[in-house]
Amino acid sequence: MDVKTVCLGMLTDGPASGYDLKKQFESSFAHFFAAGYGSIYPALSSLSASGLVECEEVPQEGKPDRKVYEITDEGRQFLLKALENPSPCHKVRSEFLATMCFAHLMRPEDIQTVINNRLEDIARYQEMFRQFESEEMCDWPEGMKFVLGFGKAIAGTMQTYINENRHLLADEPSAKVATGQ
Amino acid sequence: MDVKTVCLGMLTDGPASGYDLKKQFESSFAHFFAAGYGSIYPALSSLSASGLVECEEVPQEGKPDRKVYEITDEGRQFLLKALENPSPCHKVRSEFLATMCFAHLMRPEDIQTVINNRLEDIARYQEMFRQFESEEMCDWPEGMKFVLGFGKAIAGTMQTYINENRHLLADEPSAKVATGQ
DNA sequence: TGCAGCATGTAATTTGTTACATGATTAA
DNA sequence: TTAATCATGTAACAAATTACATGCTGCA
């Protein structure tokens, strides 16, 4: 499933512009599917050319026309076919873990920095999940709740694991072992 | 960090062929960094052309020459520079989660199939982690243990989360609610 | 007889990323 | 005045996937 198909899926929720979809990719989808304008706009053009979506251009003052895309019946059919894949993949590409594999070649302070930055990143996701929980979540489809819950669970596990095991990689400089003083 | 850099890192463990590296990508690295022959061989050629590795061709009978690559001092320096990135990314690309977002458009039995297949995939990873734990693990660098433990923790959380929340997506056909029978 | 494993690679294609290009509005 | 938000897109580039291409050995 590529960006095109995910955009098509997002449009089942109602008409939207490329700009709108980008916001979804930055929020609810951010933890498992990345896409920038450079892939979203071409995706929408292509979907439009294939007749899977229709585009309505809404003129605006001082801004480019807002192009609002709406899924067609053909688009719905295409999406359903795409959703029939019985084994959709789940891929991780982690430069973080790759880096940690070679931690023994790094300076301890650099390892600490990498870990702290990762924890910050995780914290940002957790903040996002918290916001979703407090807000609109009730009227979302169950699948979306499942996916958000999934992300939250994984983020929590990562955080705990890293905190409990970072000592394996490098002892913190400030962690002076009891010196009896 | 691309395939090239990871190959370079793997070679710090000792000389190896493209075929050997592929086996690592299929085992200990499989849960966070994918690479096939189509990217490994070109990566090694390129590293060799840049002088970051050296290649020794070992003739064999009935097989193509085995090309054994060894990291050079220049290669080590290059790797250390690459490891200095303070914020290496950790990206997930999940067609599985994307599919689940649109579960309300799918047939319940198809949802079950997708979930069962995902659980099988997770189980395969867990089996792999178990094998590593029983074997050679002791002489591995701490970073590698950290990374394997990370994968194991995530796999466990996924499994538990999916089992505990799959009912949100579709009630199993056989799950007849207490009939008083 | 057939398949898995060993062992290498190339070429075409697909996909996505990054940088570039434009430009008005609004709040700090 | 400066940054963020709104709003679109293209073109060059980078990277990885897939299919293709070869061919021996050893086991079941």
Side-chain angles (χ1 to χ4, degrees):
Chain A
M1 200 186 308
D2 52 10
V3 176
K4 241 155 77 176
T5 314
V6 175
C7 287
L8 200 55
M10 285 175 169
L11 291 175
T12 58
D13 200 42
S17 67
Y19 195 83
D20 294 332
L21 297 187
K22 178 63 162 39
K23 279 187 285 184
Q24 273 204 61
F25 278 110
E26 275 168 352
S27 57
S28 44
F29 280 62
H31 63 105
F32 68 94
F33 211 104
Y37 291 123
S39 40
I40 295 171
Y41 286 124
L44 289 171
S45 300
S46 158
L47 288 169
S48 195
S50 323
L52 304 181
V53 301
E54 266 171 6
C55 175
E56 193 197 352
E57 292 191 40
V58 182
Q60 299 189 125
E61 299 157 27
K63 298 175 196 175
D65 293 358
R66 190 174 142 85
K67 293 192 178 178
V68 179
Y69 294 89
E70 188 168 7
I71 191 168
T72 62
D73 285 336
E74 214 192 321
R76 277 211 173 71
Q77 281 192 321
F78 181 92
L79 178 62
L80 294 187
K81 275 269 171 265
L83 292 177
E84 273 172 21
N85 173 4
S87 300
C89 70
H90 178 91
K91 282 183 196 159
V92 178
R93 169 90 177 211
S94 179
E95 298 185 2
F96 165 68
L97 292 177
T99 301
M100 292 305 97
C101 286
F102 310 120
H104 56 289
L105 306 172
M106 297 170 66
R107 294 183 312 177
E109 55 265 45
D110 287 349
I111 300 175
Q112 294 304 324
T113 303
V114 167
I115 288 181
N116 289 335
N117 287 336
R118 178 101 314 265
L119 285 172
E120 276 175 33
D121 205 59
I122 292 169
R124 274 192 291 274
Y125 278 113
Q126 288 177 320
E127 177 54 31
M128 193 194 72
F129 291 129
R130 229 171 287 131
Q131 277 177 18
F132 279 125
E133 267 174 0
S134 54
E135 288 165 35
E136 56 242 285
M137 197 141 156
C138 20
D139 48 282
W140 282 4
E142 298 303 317
M144 206 63 214
K145 291 184 202 168
F146 175 89
V147 169
L148 265 302
F150 189 101
K152 196 187 159 195
I154 299 297
T157 298
M158 284 183 179
Q159 189 186 45
T160 304
Y161 181 84
I162 293 175
N163 280 320
E164 286 178 358
N165 294 281
R166 57 187 301 171
H167 65 89
L168 287 174
L169 299 172
D171 291 311
E172 281 116 295
S174 58
K176 293 170 193 159
V177 179
T179 54
Q181 249 261 347
Chain B
M1 199 186 309
D2 52 10
V3 176
K4 240 154 79 175
T5 314
V6 175
C7 288
L8 201 53
M10 285 175 170
L11 291 175
T12 59
D13 201 42
S17 67
Y19 195 82
D20 294 331
L21 296 187
K22 178 61 162 40
K23 279 188 286 186
Q24 273 204 60
F25 278 111
E26 276 168 352
S27 57
S28 43
F29 280 62
H31 63 105
F32 67 93
F33 211 104
Y37 291 124
S39 40
I40 296 171
Y41 286 124
L44 289 171
S45 301
S46 158
L47 288 169
S48 195
S50 323
L52 305 181
V53 301
E54 268 171 4
C55 175
E56 193 198 351
E57 291 190 40
V58 182
Q60 300 190 125
E61 300 158 25
K63 298 176 197 175
D65 293 358
R66 190 176 141 84
K67 293 192 178 178
V68 178
Y69 294 90
E70 188 169 8
I71 191 167
T72 63
D73 286 336
E74 216 192 319
R76 275 210 175 69
Q77 281 192 319
F78 181 92
L79 178 62
L80 293 187
K81 275 269 171 264
L83 293 177
E84 273 171 21
N85 174 5
S87 300
C89 70
H90 178 91
K91 281 183 197 160
V92 178
R93 169 91 176 212
S94 179
E95 298 185 3
F96 165 67
L97 293 176
T99 300
M100 291 304 97
C101 285
F102 310 122
H104 57 288
L105 305 172
M106 297 170 65
R107 292 184 311 177
E109 55 264 45
D110 286 350
I111 301 175
Q112 295 304 324
T113 303
V114 167
I115 288 181
N116 290 334
N117 288 335
R118 178 102 313 266
L119 285 172
E120 276 176 33
D121 205 58
I122 293 169
R124 275 191 292 273
Y125 278 113
Q126 288 177 321
E127 177 54 30
M128 193 195 70
F129 292 130
R130 230 171 287 132
Q131 278 178 16
F132 280 124
E133 266 173 2
S134 55
E135 289 164 33
E136 55 240 287
M137 198 142 156
C138 21
D139 49 283
W140 281 4
E142 298 303 316
M144 206 62 213
K145 291 184 203 166
F146 175 89
V147 169
L148 265 302
F150 189 100
K152 195 188 160 195
I154 300 297
T157 298
M158 283 184 180
Q159 188 186 47
T160 304
Y161 181 84
I162 293 175
N163 280 321
E164 286 177 359
N165 294 282
R166 59 186 301 171
H167 65 90
L168 287 174
L169 298 171
D171 291 310
E172 283 115 297
S174 59
K176 293 171 192 154
V177 178
T179 54
Q181 253 277 332

